Amino acid sequence: MATGRGRLLQLQWSGLQAPRLPLGVGSAPGRTGFRNGPCIRYAAGCATLKQHARRERHCERASADCSVSLDSMPSEILLKIFSYLDAGTLLCTGCVNRRFYHLANDNFIWIRIYSTAFSPKRSNWKVNSVEKTAVTMNLLSVEDKEAGYWKKEYIAKQIASVKAALAQVLKPVNPYTGLPVKTKEALRPRWHSLIAKYNLSNLTASTMFGCDRLIRIFCLNPGLLVGLWKREEELAFVMANLHFHHLVERSTLGSATIPYELPPHSPLLDDNPEYGLHGYQLHVDMHSGGIFYLCGTFRNLFTKKGYIENGYAKLIVISFKNNTEHLPLIGKVGLSWRTDIFDGCIKSCSIMDITLLDEYGKPFWCFSSPVCMRSSPRPSDGPNFLGQTYYVDYMDSEGKVHVQLVWIEETEEYFIVNLVLYLSIAKINHWFGTKY
């Protein structure tokens, strides 16, 4: 019995092994030590092998002739595939071609995404019946809406939710600057938003800002610093200085090609004959590399009609005549720069941040720009000081800043002895609705 089982297994094994042998290697009928069984199985195995090879060649030809692309699939299958995509991927899919765009606008897909993202809030006990009814009605009215309706609703709701979240973060305001306290926390990377454009071909001697032994730096408004190596005249670094005022909106609500535009300003009219010339508050910082040389706040600033000259209103912040108003700059003034290999400091240069609030506490004029102290070629119009006199000037379309400093050799520090703002009358008239 054992011998019979062994012979049966041997016969089956021979039949399985036969198709794996090369043609001509197997024994011919009658020349094996076995009966005709194994030879019959070998012949059957060869036939099976040939049939399998023919089937594979046929399948290869069929697959080559009948290749299926994603675009050739029926719309029903594509819609089923699209239903598994998230909102971002679905929006990208709609940019492939015209057909995918129309399919990716399917309301049934988008209402599911919308309902998942903005599902009604559930309590531990029950669902608000009004919210549940509203969702049900939305599902029933899918076919009544034009294609892409729920995609637009989803995008609009997402934008509104982002704006609401940003408004909540930016709600606390600094009483000194009138600007949001948590601007840095709100500046999270989301998408590309154009803030400013610069033409680097305009780097000339007139825009040269300062230099040290390694680099020369050029300044382009608004607030861009470009450093070039002295020897090779190649780019060393680029430094952008951005004021916090409306920086969140400019960084999130613009596009990659179009910058964010501020909403039109509506002036608050007042019959005061000096309206728009008083009640200002100034916050000024001078800093570099995290070191602040000056940080001051000045309240109840005003000017008069008699101070209006050449299209500017003169706003005196620190006067020559009042020694109690003179302020020192703390530390050695210099603009720090750093690359991957080198670093340095350009003497007498720094970054100036100006935030001027109107009488309602709203930002009236804001900028952040590099400035440089220049040696005064002639004595000042004010009192004579024991020390070399320097000045800092800044100008843009909304106003000018003039700072005069004196270097005190004994204490080795700069003192601000005069600080004057010149406000553009055109900006005052536009902001307050006046006609100066």
Side-chain angles (χ1 to χ4, degrees):
M1 185 174 180
T3 305
R5 172 185 285 179
R7 185 172 182 80
L8 180 61
L9 291 176
Q10 187 178 12
L11 292 175
Q12 293 179 350
W13 178 251
S14 300
L16 292 175
Q17 289 281 44
R20 299 183 183 180
L21 296 175
L23 295 179
V25 174
S27 301
R31 295 185 181 180
T32 66
F34 305 102
R35 298 179 181 176
N36 292 335
C39 296
I40 296 174
R41 287 182 178 272
Y42 171 73
C46 292
T48 304
L49 181 62
K50 293 179 181 180
Q51 184 178 3
H52 179 69
R54 287 195 298 270
R55 187 181 296 112
E56 286 185 348
R57 289 194 295 270
H58 176 74
C59 292
E60 290 177 357
R61 288 195 299 269
S63 61
D65 297 337
C66 304
S67 59
V68 179
S69 64
L70 191 64
D71 193 27
S72 65
M73 288 185 177
S75 298
E76 293 77 8
I77 297 178
L78 289 176
L79 287 174
K80 184 64 176 179
I81 296 174
F82 290 175
S83 66
Y84 291 99
L85 303 179
D86 58 81
T89 308
L90 190 59
L91 289 172
C92 293
T93 304
C95 298
V96 174
N97 55 37
R98 185 182 298 274
R99 185 189 179 205
F100 279 22
Y101 172 79
H102 291 295
L103 292 176
N105 282 345
D106 184 75
N107 279 330
F108 285 98
I109 297 177
W110 279 106
I111 196 172
R112 179 187 59 80
I113 296 175
Y114 181 94
S115 302
T116 302
F118 309 108
S119 58
K121 297 179 180 179
R122 297 176 179 270
S123 64
N124 294 332
W125 300 100
K126 62 181 180 179
V127 179
N128 188 318
S129 59
V130 176
E131 293 178 343
K132 185 176 180 180
T133 304
V135 174
T136 304
M137 292 300 295
N138 287 336
L139 291 171
L140 293 176
S141 61
V142 172
E143 296 181 353
D144 298 336
K145 307 295 183 181
E146 70 276 7
Y149 171 83
W150 284 107
K151 181 180 77 171
K152 297 176 183 178
E153 289 293 313
Y154 173 82
I155 295 174
K157 192 71 174 287
Q158 284 285 15
I159 294 175
S161 63
V162 170
K163 288 184 177 181
L166 288 177
Q168 192 66 24
V169 173
L170 299 176
K171 193 173 183 180
V173 176
N174 189 316
Y176 299 102
T177 64
L179 302 174
V181 177
K182 298 183 178 180
T183 300
K184 292 182 179 180
E185 288 80 353
L187 290 174
R188 293 178 297 175
R190 289 185 175 89
W191 48 75
H192 295 288
S193 182
L194 179 63
I195 294 180
K197 287 184 178 181
Y198 301 91
N199 186 359
L200 298 185
S201 63
N202 294 331
L203 299 181
T204 60
S206 61
T207 60
M208 184 173 169
F209 183 74
C211 64
D212 61 10
R213 61 186 182 87
L214 293 177
I215 65 167
R216 295 186 301 160
I217 57 175
F218 299 82
C219 181
L220 296 175
N221 285 332
L224 185 73
L225 273 179
V226 179
L228 298 181
W229 299 112
K230 276 187 172 181
R231 292 184 178 181
E232 294 82 3
E233 289 292 333
E234 293 181 351
L235 184 66
F237 64 86
V238 175
M239 183 189 304
N241 303 279
L242 305 173
H243 196 278
F244 277 168
H245 182 47
H246 286 306
L247 182 57
V248 174
E249 293 86 347
R250 294 162 63 194
S251 302
T252 57
L253 301 182
S255 69
T257 55
I258 302 176
Y260 168 75
E261 293 186 2
L262 297 176
H265 174 72
S266 299
L268 297 175
L269 302 180
D270 196 320
D271 55 359
N272 189 324
E274 299 288 332
Y275 182 55
L277 301 179
H278 58 80
Y280 288 99
Q281 176 177 319
L282 172 67
H283 186 83
V284 54
D285 292 324
M286 294 182 69
H287 60 92
S288 175
I291 300 175
F292 281 77
Y293 311 118
L294 172 68
C295 182
T297 300
F298 307 87
R299 296 182 173 87
N300 300 322
L301 303 177
F302 64 93
T303 185
K304 297 179 180 179
K305 290 183 179 180
Y307 288 168
I308 297 177
E309 186 178 356
N310 298 325
Y312 291 95
K314 187 178 181 180
L315 196 67
I316 300 177
V317 182
I318 296 178
S319 174
F320 278 121
K321 301 178 181 180
N322 192 346
N323 294 338
T324 61
E325 295 179 351
H326 299 173
L327 296 176
L329 298 184
I330 308 301
K332 294 183 178 181
V333 179
L335 182 63
S336 301
W337 61 270
R338 179 186 297 274
T339 65
D340 294 338
I341 302 176
F342 300 102
D343 59 10
C345 184
I346 300 176
K347 296 180 180 180
S348 303
C349 298
S350 63
I351 305 298
M352 175 182 285
D353 299 334
I354 289 290
T355 305
L356 183 65
L357 309 180
D358 63 13
E359 60 181 289
Y360 303 104
K362 303 297 182 183
F364 174 80
W365 182 30
C366 302
F367 71 83
S368 179
S369 175
V371 293
C372 187
M373 290 187 293
R374 309 290 185 185
S375 177
S376 180
R378 59 183 178 85
S380 63
D381 297 333
N384 294 325
F385 295 97
L386 298 177
Q388 177 64 41
T389 304
Y390 296 85
Y391 67 93
V392 173
D393 285 323
Y394 171 83
M395 179 179 180
D396 62 21
S397 61
E398 299 185 3
K400 299 186 293 184
V401 178
H402 176 74
V403 183
Q404 192 162 342
L405 308 98
V406 173
W407 171 252
I408 306 300
E409 190 68 33
E410 290 77 7
T411 58
E412 295 186 348
E413 59 184 347
Y414 293 97
F415 265 83
I416 297 179
V417 296
N418 186 223
L419 172 57
V420 181
L421 303 184
Y422 296 89
L423 306 182
S424 170
I425 290 299
K427 173 63 182 292
I428 293 177
N429 291 335
H430 170 74
W431 191 264
F432 296 100
T434 54
K435 297 181 180 180
Y436 294 115

